[in-house]
Each structure stands twice: as C-alpha cells, then as structure tokens.
Amino acid sequence: MGAAGVVDRARALLGRTFHGHGVDLMITEVEAYGGIDDRASHAFTRTPRSEIMYGPPWRLYVYRSYGIHHCVNIVTGPTEEAAAVLLRAGRVIAGGDLARARRGQVHDDSLARGPGNLSLALGVDLKDLGTDVLGSGQVRLGDVGPGRIEISSGPRVGVSQEADRLWRFWITGERTVSAYRRSPGAPAARSAH
DNA sequence: AACATGATTCGCT
DNA sequence: GCGAATCATGTTG
C-alpha cells in the first residue's frame, strides 16, 4: 500500500455502519491523514500521543480537541506510515434516543455532524483509545459494506498544514456532512481566477 | 516550569 | 462571518 492507501481506506469507510456504545450510524464524511508523509497528521511527529498510529491497523486513535471535544480516528496502517482516518460525520440509524440524550435537542442531521459531535453521539472518548474496531467491543465497525454511493472530495477542515490536499471525502448530497472551514493559519488559497 | 497551539463548536452580529 | 471557551499535548527554557 503506497501513500494513497489511506485515501482508499478513507473512501471505503464511507457508507459503512459504525457502532459506539449503543448508537449505530452510517459514516458519511471522513478525512485521510497520511502519517509520516503528511504534515497535517498528528503522527507526523512521533510522540506518546501519536504512538497508537504506529501500531496495528483498525484500532481507535482518540484525542481531545480544544480541551472540550473528542475526535475519533481509525488507524489504517501500514505501521511504518502511521496513517489514520478521521470520522467527521455520520447519519444515526439506530439508538437515536441515546444519541439525542447525549447531544441534546438537535436536528437528526446534526446528531453526528462534525467530529466532536460524532464522538459525543457515540459516547466515544479516551477510554476507547486503542479499541480494535474489527472486534465485538462497544465500539466497532459494522459487517455490511455500503451499496452504491457517490463520493465528493475537497480540502480537509481546519488544518493549517497541507491545507490544499484534497483528502476529505463525503457522500454526495448527504445533509449530515459538516461545513468546510479553512484554517486561519493556512496560506491563502490560490485564487481560481 | 511556563508558553503556544489547536484535525472544534456554538452563539452572536 | 467572528470570536470566546477550555485544556491536553508538545515544545522551549
């Protein structure tokens, strides 16, 4: 698997079901992070936090964001690349009451819209770090792959490095997909003029 | 030991 | 569209 391997893995996750602590959703938006080949990846520098990404694939990398939220990633491997896929949004398909209890009164489309909200809806936090999502634990991938879906792509949200790499993918037309925001720290985007 | 920085979200203008 | 909230992590002294 080359540098594009994580991209293939990211696209293949779209439309799959994912379970977290009593809630099932269909993954509708993801971002690929290329590890050692990607300055935007937390694994670009190998530290205790990013160490999980240098391990076997299909384990959870969970981190705290802005001191408030959590973000959920699936490590993709190969181990020497330390790549991972960030789950950015999903459509809740079961356990909606539980998801709403965690998220409050929000529109169904917003229950798992954005990485922090997705993590909250699924009840995933640091206790789930390192969970094998191919196992039968409280956080796991569903067995069934997607039917035919159309995929759109664009730049990743909020990253100041590699801000023009088109490594964000979502199911075309899905209303659960989060809004794009370019990082203030990123160089100005080239005008389309 | 102190400092800078976010793979964000929500409310207000 | 803009900015505050909030704190773990990594970096620097």
Side-chain angles (χ1 to χ4, degrees), chain A residues 20-188:
Chain A
H21 301 287
V23 174
D24 285 294
L25 56 71
M26 176 180 72
I27 299 170
T28 59
E29 181 193 2
V30 295
E31 282 175 358
Y33 284 87
I36 60 172
D37 295 327
D38 182 359
R39 294 204 309 284
S41 172
H42 290 169
F44 185 73
T45 53
R46 188 169 184 163
T47 65
R49 180 178 66 162
S50 62
E51 189 62 29
I52 188 74
M53 289 186 274
Y54 287 81
W58 303 114
R59 302 221 283 221
L60 283 184
Y61 166 49
V62 182
Y63 68 93
R64 213 152 163 55
S65 178
Y66 289 86
I68 316 166
H69 313 286
H70 294 274
C71 294
V72 191
N73 301 250
I74 297 175
V75 175
T76 63
T79 55
E80 62 270 21
E81 285 182 17
V85 174
L86 169 69
L87 305 185
R88 284 198 60 89
R91 175 169 293 287
V92 173
I93 55 181
D97 290 347
L98 189 48
R100 193 164 290 101
R102 291 172 176 149
R103 286 276 293 122
Q105 286 292 119
V106 297
H107 191 279
D108 285 353
D109 291 345
S110 299
L111 280 174
R113 183 177 202 262
N117 291 333
L118 180 147
S119 301
L120 185 56
L122 294 178
V124 172
D125 57 28
L126 289 175
K127 74 182 177 305
D128 301 299
L129 179 67
T131 299
D132 176 0
V133 298
L134 297 186
S136 53
Q138 288 303 297
V139 185
R140 58 187 186 267
L141 267 173
D143 296 329
V144 186
R148 190 192 187 105
I149 56 171
E150 187 179 342
I151 298 175
S152 299
S153 64
R156 292 172 292 185
V157 176
V159 298
S160 58
Q161 304 286 317
E162 304 288 352
D164 296 308
R165 210 182 267 206
L166 306 182
W167 278 14
R168 172 175 175 243
F169 306 96
W170 64 92
I171 297 176
T172 305
E174 252 293 331
R175 294 202 217 258
T176 55
V177 174
S178 63
Y180 175 66
R181 290 235 267 274
R182 190 178 181 86
S183 166

